[in-house]
Amino acid sequence: VREIIGSKFPNIKGLEFANFKNQLDYLQNKYSIIKAEDLIEYAINKKTSLPKNPCYLTFDDGYKDHIEYVLPELKKRKIQGSFFPASKPIINHDLLNTNAIQFILASCENLEKLIKELNTKCIEYGVSEDEINKLWLSIDDRDRFDNRSVTYVKRMLQRELPEEIRSKVTDMLFEKYVGVSQKDFSIDLYLSKEEVSQLVSEGMYVGSHSHSHYWMNEESLESQKKEIELSLVFLDKIGAPTKDWIMCYPNGAYNDDTLSILRKKKCVVGLTCNVGHGLLKRHKLLEL
Ligand SMILES: [Zn+2]
């Protein structure tokens, strides 16, 4: 959520502030906006119920926009939002891989050229042309949001390449296309620790979105555990609850290991990216 037209990144995928207010009007009209605490109470106390047509508002990744635009608007309307920042970029002032890619794509005017550069780099780092071709052909171009080229860049830099190559290539492309230090960019893009604390003190809910924003289903049990523990340390520091808390899975991805860790850590609600209405089932609260 931000003012996008006329900004430094007019091509960024985001929600114009005016449209955000329209969305809130619509949701407030049709649904009862509930608080995180209502959902938590519902999860731990089987006797409680939620209002009819409950709607729960969430904001992921801890962007600066959330304190500049979202917080004042929610306060004005006297409703609560739930915020799920990943802790690593806030603590280390680095960029989430997904955001680095997003801004590379928003700054790039010739996607074909970008893909050529990406592939050349991959080959330099020892990826074979065969693998590259296979990947290109494996992409499903009926993606909900992106065309094949965009999906290819995202898939390569988010998941397909080995981590080390991925981050080197991403850094190179970020420097070339965005041309700002990632540290300065991170400080501008994400909330500071103090701002996350402010969300809590202003009555908003802050929950976990892991530490590094990895796809949990692709991480080992140990790595997932570390990711969740580090984010809980962060939540504790900024004054958010770490007992009966809410997890929002990065990219909506999780597996049985994630669920077992969350049960042990007293997480009561887990948010996925499932699309649709009426997903609220008591026995599936870790997979909403
Ligand atoms: Zn996220």
Side-chain angles (χ1 to χ4, degrees):
V1 180
R2 50 167 62 187
E3 278 154 355
I4 298 166
I5 299 171
S7 74
K8 262 195 284 179
F9 296 95
N11 296 328
I12 202 72
K13 278 211 173 141
L15 183 58
E16 230 12 286
F17 187 45
N19 294 344
F20 171 61
K21 288 191 275 192
N22 290 338
Q23 284 190 356
L24 286 179
D25 288 343
Y26 173 84
L27 291 171
Q28 284 189 282
N29 218 326
K30 279 194 90 158
Y31 300 94
S32 313
I33 310 293
I34 59 166
K35 295 171 112 184
E37 291 75 12
D38 301 329
L39 192 54
I40 291 167
E41 186 58 31
Y42 177 83
I44 57 183
N45 181 353
K46 299 211 161 26
K47 284 187 196 125
T48 53
S49 56
L50 289 169
K52 212 177 142 214
N53 296 326
C55 172
Y56 176 57
L57 298 176
T58 66
F59 303 88
D60 294 358
D61 300 342
Y63 299 118
K64 201 67 115 190
D65 301 351
H66 295 164
I67 208 137
E68 279 174 21
Y69 296 101
V70 177
L71 177 69
E73 191 57 34
L74 296 182
K75 275 171 66 185
K76 204 158 96 190
R77 293 168 185 253
K78 299 195 167 42
I79 52 179
Q80 189 201 53
S82 288
F83 296 82
F84 296 94
S87 40
K88 182 168 168 277
I90 294 178
I91 295 167
N92 293 2
H93 300 310
D94 51 20
L95 278 179
L96 289 181
N97 175 285
T98 76
N99 291 133
I101 298 164
Q102 184 188 25
F103 282 93
I104 290 169
L105 287 166
S107 310
C108 155
E109 278 161 17
N110 185 342
L111 198 52
E112 239 170 89
K113 201 175 134 231
L114 175 74
I115 289 177
K116 270 201 195 116
E117 280 167 340
L118 168 64
N119 289 345
T120 309
K121 272 282 155 200
C122 289
I123 290 165
E124 246 180 73
Y125 286 119
V127 184
S128 76
E129 270 183 68
D130 233 32
E131 285 172 274
I132 292 175
N133 281 332
K134 233 201 252 157
L135 219 123
W136 174 258
L137 293 173
S138 78
I139 285 167
D140 181 356
D141 47 13
R142 292 161 305 173
D143 186 279
R144 225 173 353 130
F145 303 109
D146 297 319
N147 64 34
R148 185 186 287 254
S149 303
V150 170
T151 307
Y152 176 76
V153 174
K154 287 187 176 173
R155 277 270 297 274
M156 289 293 269
L157 297 178
Q158 283 177 359
R159 320 172 61 172
E160 298 300 336
L161 296 170
E163 157 111 48
E164 203 194 331
I165 300 181
R166 217 162 61 196
S167 69
K168 274 189 194 154
V169 176
T170 308
D171 289 352
M172 183 280 284
L173 293 172
F174 189 87
E175 203 186 314
K176 172 150 188 197
Y177 283 91
V178 187
V180 197
S181 95
Q182 290 199 29
K183 184 178 176 193
D184 292 345
F185 202 86
S186 165
I187 292 171
D188 278 350
L189 183 64
Y190 304 115
L191 299 166
S192 67
K193 247 183 279 171
E194 293 70 29
E195 287 166 333
V196 182
S197 293
Q198 192 196 332
L199 289 173
V200 177
S201 61
E202 302 255 24
M204 301 291 131
Y205 179 82
V206 178
S208 170
H209 199 36
S210 85
H211 186 61
S212 316
H213 207 275
Y214 296 143
W215 296 72
M216 284 296 196
N217 58 336
E218 290 178 6
E219 294 296 308
S220 67
L221 177 82
E222 267 321 298
S223 160
Q224 291 195 39
K225 213 171 138 219
K226 201 173 136 205
E227 279 292 309
I228 290 166
E229 279 169 357
L230 285 170
S231 89
L232 288 175
V233 170
F234 174 77
L235 289 181
D236 189 52
K237 277 208 185 106
I238 58 103
T242 52
K243 184 182 172 273
D244 299 332
W245 52 280
I246 302 178
M247 173 82 191
C248 172
Y249 306 110
N251 311 300
Y254 62 96
N255 60 16
D256 288 344
D257 286 344
T258 330
L259 299 177
S260 92
I261 299 165
L262 290 179
R263 282 190 200 101
K264 281 190 199 123
K265 302 273 179 202
K266 296 200 186 320
C267 168
V268 291
V269 174
L271 306 170
T272 70
C273 295
N274 293 335
V275 181
H277 281 102
L279 297 166
L280 197 58
K281 296 245 167 53
R282 251 189 226 278
H283 65 284
K284 281 248 175 194
L285 285 171
L286 286 178
E287 298 171 78
L288 287 188

